């Protein structure tokens, strides 16, 4: 299909060329000399053949087609219409498939080549100038359209890459969640249940020589069981969060998280008065992860402490603060201000993970004891992506495509004046440029640009009234300048909003053009008495209304084209967004389902055994507590094996666990044997 589309345009151009020349020429009874026929057909065949290679070699194809136009010195201009159109089509491919600088350079080469050919063909400087300006208009317009298409395709490719990343995340969502939860469960088993087992084993081993160690072992078993229950309940609470949490606004997610930790015994106060109520995306996800990890550490090392969470959004970044008063540490007599006090209690991966989250966004994170008061604090600054570079919005809205469009639209009135009155060409340049210049910002402020273009259309009538321009030059500027008005109207339909809000632009544009033409007619002497007496006013009003109605039809067509472009763009964007949303939501749901499944298994097996450890230890049954701890460890390791196998890391799980148990048993025995 792609091959057919690639060669369809060259075939159509060849048929059209043969129909116009020599076909139409011969039908009119005019003769075509054999040398001209041979050169013309050779140029056409070469141009259309090279045009078929425009997608693979756009620059080379454009220059090769331009070389065939040298035949203009031998054959009439109508014999090279297909070659000229092929050159424009090839330049369009250059603008779409190559950088903007390359397209501008190739367009400049084509313009220079056209000027050189016109010098060889025409004797009049007016004709040479007209050819140069026509080339600028055609090639600049082609580059503008091609660059717009290039930007559109770049957006589609970016959307495809985003969708591919989302699909990749969706495919690995469950595995990633299993891997993350496996780390969490390993920490629980390594630090709590394992300690119960090894402590009980060491107490039994030394029981005959040191019977008092049995009481210590029972106390440690009860504490380890309770800590296991608390840790698992905390983990289950996190896993049971709704699947929609990942897509909820940050303030709502943090509030739900704080409420969950309050149910676990923490006293949490939340200050998000200046926070982003509806913030989502990477910054929100990183902020939520930092707050969750900070709260988890507080619950682990300062249970029951008062925790304060502050979220501030400003100066291009999101600032977070999570601090506690160190109530549990103060009660136990520990000093949180001692360097490394908390780091030694855990694996240290929590703080490192928070720093990684912040660094991934180009932010910073500080964690440590609070100065002068008990407690711990975590401070993070997460910059928004849009704040990385500050730019002038008026400048960023101007693109190479807009500049090329303005150049093409400016050249048309100058060409019209050059044809009408060559001596006034220089005078016409400034009004033409002022009329087209607002189009640079037509995508950003289309309504404003439309009114500016309609206002600048009054420059020729006013100049005629002041005697600065002759009437024929003003008419040429006005008629050719209507192209700028059409471009502005198209921008309103395409960028200013839905059709229901932009249709008045048709009447505004038609009325503006009609009033400009009537004013020019009155100032130019078409009706000397018009506008000066009572008899002339009704006629001017009638003429304006008539011309408005007459002009509204073509302006409606221009507006309809803009509406079509807008709806097509919205349809494509909506389809891409829908696919992306579906992929992201699928990943969220799959991860949520995996958490739910693991939470159910934890509640059914591990938590039941952990509760029994506490019960047996409180009854004084050390052997029963150790047995229940081993059963909980077995259930935990079985679940870990399943998780790691799903994540591709199941090898060696049992062997590593047994080795770790043996090492911990020896360490506990040495500790308990000390006097």
């Amino acid at each position: 299909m792609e091959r057919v589309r690639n060669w369809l345009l060259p075939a159509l151009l060849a048929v059209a060329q043969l129909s116009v020349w020599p076909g139409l020429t011969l039908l009119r009874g005019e003769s075509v000399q054999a040398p001209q026929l041979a050169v013309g057909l050779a140029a056409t065949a070469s141009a259309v053949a090279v045009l078929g290679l425009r997608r693979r070699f756009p620059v080379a194809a454009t220059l090769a087609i331009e070389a065939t136009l040298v035949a203009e010195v031998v054959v009439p201009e109508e014999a090279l219409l297909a070659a000229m159109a092929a050159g424009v089509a090839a330049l369009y491919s250059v603008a779409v498939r190559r950088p903007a600088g390359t397209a501008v350079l190739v367009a400049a080469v084509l313009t220079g080549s056209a000027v050189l050919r016109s010098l060889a063909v025409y004797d009049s400087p007016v004709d040479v100038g007209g050819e140069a300006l026509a080339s600028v208009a055609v090639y600049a317009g082609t580059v503008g359209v091609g660059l717009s298409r290039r930007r559109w395709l770049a957006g589609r490719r970016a959307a495809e890459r985003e969708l591919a990343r989302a699909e990749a995340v969706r495919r690995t969502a469950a595995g990633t969640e299993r891997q993350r939860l496996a780390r969490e469960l390993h920490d629980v088993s390594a630090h709590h249940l394992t300690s119960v087992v090894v402590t009980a084993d060491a107490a039994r081993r030394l029981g005959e020589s040191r019977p008092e160690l049995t009481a210590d072992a029972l106390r440690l078993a009860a504490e380890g069981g309770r800590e296991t229950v608390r840790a698992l309940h905390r983990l289950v609470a996190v896993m049971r969060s709704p699947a929609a949490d990942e897509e909820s606004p940050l303030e709502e997610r943090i509030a739900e998280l704080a409420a969950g930790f309050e149910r676990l015994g923490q006293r949490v106060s939340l200050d998000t008065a200046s926070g982003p109520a509806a913030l989502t995306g990477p910054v929100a996800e990183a902020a939520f992860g930092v707050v969750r990890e900070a709260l988890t550490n507080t619950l682990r090392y300062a249970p029951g402490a008062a925790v304060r969470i502050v979220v501030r959004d400003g100066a291009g970044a999101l600032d977070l603060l999570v601090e506690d008063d160190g109530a549990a540490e103060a009660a136990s007599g520990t000093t949180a201000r001692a360097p490394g006090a908390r780091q030694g209690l855990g694996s240290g991966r929590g703080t490192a993970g928070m720093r990684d989250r912040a660094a991934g966004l180009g932010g910073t994170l500080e964690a440590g004891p609070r100065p002068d008061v008990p407690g711990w604090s975590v401070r993070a600054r997460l910059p928004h992506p849009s704040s990385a570079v500050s730019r002038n919005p008026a400048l960023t809205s101007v693109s190479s495509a807009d500049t090329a469009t303005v150049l093409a639209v400016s050249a048309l009135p100058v060409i019209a004046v050059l044809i009408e009155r060559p001596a006034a060409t220089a005078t016409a340049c400034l009004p033409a440029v002022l009329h087209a210049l607002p189009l640079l910002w037509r995508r950003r402020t289309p309504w404003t640009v439309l009114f500016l273009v309609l206002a600048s259309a009054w420059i020729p009538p006013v100049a005629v009234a002041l005697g600065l321009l002759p009437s024929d030059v003003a008419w040429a500027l006005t008629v050719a300048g209507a192209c700028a008005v059409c471009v502005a109207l198209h921008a309103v339909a395409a960028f200013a909003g839905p059709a229901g809000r932009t249709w008045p632009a048709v009447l505004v544009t038609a009325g503006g053009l009609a009033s400009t033409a009537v004013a020019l007619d009155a100032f130019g002497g078409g009706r000397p008495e018009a506008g000066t007496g009572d008899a002339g006013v009704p006629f001017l009003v009638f003429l304006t209304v008539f011309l408005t109605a007459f002009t509204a039809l073509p302006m409606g067509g221009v507006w309809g084209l803009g509406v079509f472009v807008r709806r097509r763009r919205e349809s494509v964007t909506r389809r891409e967004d829908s696919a992306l949303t579906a992929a992201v939501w699928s990943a969220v749901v799959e991860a949520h389902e995996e958490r739910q499944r693991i939470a159910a298994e934890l509640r059914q097996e591990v938590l039941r055994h952990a509760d029994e450890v506490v019960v047996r230890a409180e009854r004084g049954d050390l052997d029963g507590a150790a047995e229940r701890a081993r059963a909980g460890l077995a259930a935990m390791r079985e679940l870990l094996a399943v998780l790691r196998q799903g994540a591709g890391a199941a090898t060696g799980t049992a062997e590593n666990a047994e080795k770790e148990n043996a090492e911990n048993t020896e360490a506990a025995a040495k500790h308990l044997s000390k006097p």
Side-chain angles (χ1 to χ4, degrees):
M1 186 62 183
E2 185 67 22
R3 183 184 297 272
V4 173
R5 291 175 55 190
N6 184 62
W7 288 98
L8 181 60
L9 178 60
L12 292 177
L13 289 178
V15 172
Q17 178 63 72
L18 294 177
S19 300
V20 174
W21 190 95
L24 187 59
T25 302
L26 294 175
L27 287 177
R28 290 199 302 257
E30 300 176 8
S31 62
V32 177
Q33 297 180 0
Q36 288 183 332
L37 180 62
V39 173
L41 293 179
T44 299
S46 300
V48 298
V50 174
L51 184 62
L53 304 177
R54 68 191 183 279
R55 298 177 185 269
R56 296 180 59 189
F57 311 104
V59 175
T62 304
L63 298 179
I65 293 173
E66 181 65 20
T68 64
L69 296 179
V70 177
E72 187 177 1
V73 299
V74 179
V75 298
E77 190 176 68
E78 59 268 21
L80 298 175
L81 294 178
M84 295 177 183
V88 173
L91 178 60
Y92 172 80
S93 295
V94 173
V96 172
R97 299 174 178 273
R98 294 294 181 266
T102 302
V104 171
L105 180 60
V106 173
V109 171
L110 298 185
T111 302
S113 176
V115 172
L116 293 177
R117 290 198 312 273
S118 63
L119 289 173
V121 175
Y122 304 118
D123 296 329
S124 171
V126 175
D127 294 334
V128 175
E131 183 73 17
L133 287 174
S135 298
V136 169
V138 172
Y139 294 144
T142 302
V143 170
V145 174
L147 292 178
S148 296
R149 178 65 176 173
R150 174 185 175 86
R151 181 164 56 183
W152 167 260
L153 294 176
R156 305 288 66 72
R157 287 192 293 269
E160 290 175 358
R161 289 193 296 269
E162 189 68 23
L163 179 59
R165 284 195 293 268
E167 287 290 341
V169 171
R170 182 192 63 78
R171 288 192 296 268
T172 60
T176 302
E177 194 65 15
R178 284 194 296 267
Q179 190 174 14
R180 185 181 70 83
L181 294 175
R183 290 194 299 267
E184 295 280 348
L185 291 175
H186 179 269
D187 288 344
V188 173
S189 64
H191 289 91
H192 304 305
L193 288 179
T194 302
S195 65
V196 174
V197 174
V198 297
T199 302
D201 289 344
R204 283 199 304 270
R205 182 185 306 174
L206 301 173
E208 295 181 358
S209 60
R210 306 266 315 264
E212 71 278 4
L213 294 180
T214 302
D216 293 336
L218 287 171
R219 177 179 53 81
L220 292 175
E223 292 178 357
R226 293 189 191 97
E227 183 63 27
T228 300
V229 171
R230 283 196 295 268
L232 291 177
H233 273 301
R234 182 173 63 245
L235 186 58
V236 169
V238 172
M239 289 190 292
R240 293 180 64 185
S241 60
D245 279 357
E246 286 80 353
E247 297 299 314
S248 300
L250 177 61
E251 184 176 357
E252 178 182 336
R253 296 176 65 187
I254 292 180
E256 292 181 359
L257 184 67
F261 276 86
E262 285 181 342
R263 290 191 294 269
L264 295 175
Q266 297 297 93
R267 294 171 291 154
V268 183
S269 64
L270 181 60
D271 182 2
T272 58
S274 301
L279 180 64
T280 59
V283 174
E285 187 62 33
F288 180 77
V290 169
V291 173
R292 181 177 60 188
E293 184 63 33
L295 284 175
T296 301
N297 288 342
T298 301
L299 182 64
R300 176 180 296 175
Y301 304 127
V307 185
R308 177 169 169 256
I309 304 173
V310 181
V311 182
R312 293 286 184 267
D313 190 20
L318 185 71
D319 293 310
L320 300 173
L321 170 64
V322 181
E323 60 182 9
D324 63 73
D325 61 2
E329 293 165 343
S332 62
T334 60
T335 57
R337 291 188 296 273
R342 289 197 178 181
Q343 291 93 324
L345 294 175
S347 63
R349 288 194 292 270
T351 302
M354 289 189 289
R355 287 200 176 95
D356 290 342
R357 287 179 183 271
L361 295 174
T364 58
L365 185 136
E366 298 177 358
R370 299 172 62 185
D372 303 326
V373 294
W376 197 265
S377 70
V378 175
R379 295 179 181 272
R381 185 173 180 82
L382 308 175
H384 296 298
S386 58
S387 65
V389 180
S390 177
R391 297 181 180 178
N392 188 335
L395 295 178
T396 56
S397 61
V398 177
S399 65
S400 301
D402 297 327
T403 305
T405 300
V406 169
L407 184 60
V409 173
S410 301
L412 293 177
V414 179
I415 294 173
V417 173
L418 179 64
I419 297 173
E420 185 70 24
R421 184 176 292 196
T425 303
T427 307
C429 290
L430 182 59
V433 172
L434 292 178
H435 189 45
L437 190 61
L439 296 177
L440 286 173
W441 296 275
R442 69 188 190 278
R443 302 175 191 271
R444 185 167 179 261
T445 56
W447 276 109
T448 303
V449 168
L450 177 62
F451 286 120
L452 288 176
V453 170
L454 289 175
S456 63
W458 280 80
I459 294 177
V462 173
V464 170
L466 297 176
L468 301 177
L469 280 180
S471 178
D472 53 351
V473 172
W475 273 109
L477 285 173
T478 300
V479 174
C483 180
V485 178
C486 292
V487 174
L489 175 60
H490 177 275
V492 170
F495 304 110
R501 296 210 306 259
T502 60
W503 67 265
V506 176
L507 300 180
V508 172
T509 304
L513 290 176
S515 60
T516 303
V518 171
L520 184 57
D521 180 68
F523 296 154
R527 286 178 52 82
E529 74 284 1
T532 60
D534 295 337
V537 173
F539 177 78
L540 288 177
V541 174
F542 169 77
L543 186 59
T544 302
V545 173
F546 174 78
L547 288 179
T548 299
F550 179 78
T551 311
L553 185 60
M555 292 301 102
V558 174
W559 173 81
L561 179 61
V563 171
F564 171 77
V565 170
R566 177 183 179 84
R567 288 179 176 174
R568 179 176 176 271
R569 181 177 66 246
E570 290 178 344
S571 175
V572 173
T573 304
R574 188 163 50 248
R575 185 169 61 250
E576 292 170 346
D577 290 344
S578 177
L580 181 60
T581 301
V584 172
W585 180 248
S586 178
V588 170
V589 170
E590 290 181 14
H592 172 68
E593 291 176 350
E594 191 67 19
R595 289 198 302 269
Q596 293 289 81
R597 183 182 67 82
I598 297 170
E601 294 186 13
L602 282 174
R603 289 194 301 271
Q604 292 174 0
E605 298 295 334
V606 184
L607 269 173
R608 180 170 58 84
H609 293 302
D611 288 333
E612 285 293 324
V613 169
V614 177
V615 172
R616 298 293 179 89
E618 290 177 346
R619 291 177 180 175
D621 183 4
L622 182 60
D623 292 338
E627 181 184 354
R628 292 297 92 195
R630 288 192 184 90
L633 276 175
M636 179 86 72
R637 287 167 183 161
E638 183 178 352
L639 182 57
L640 279 173
V642 173
L643 293 178
R644 289 171 174 170
Q645 183 177 6
T651 306
T653 300
E655 291 80 1
N656 292 335
E658 292 299 330
K659 182 178 179 181
E660 185 177 356
N661 277 344
E663 293 174 352
N664 290 335
T665 301
E666 293 296 331
K670 292 178 181 179
H671 174 74
L672 291 174
S673 63
K674 293 180 180 179

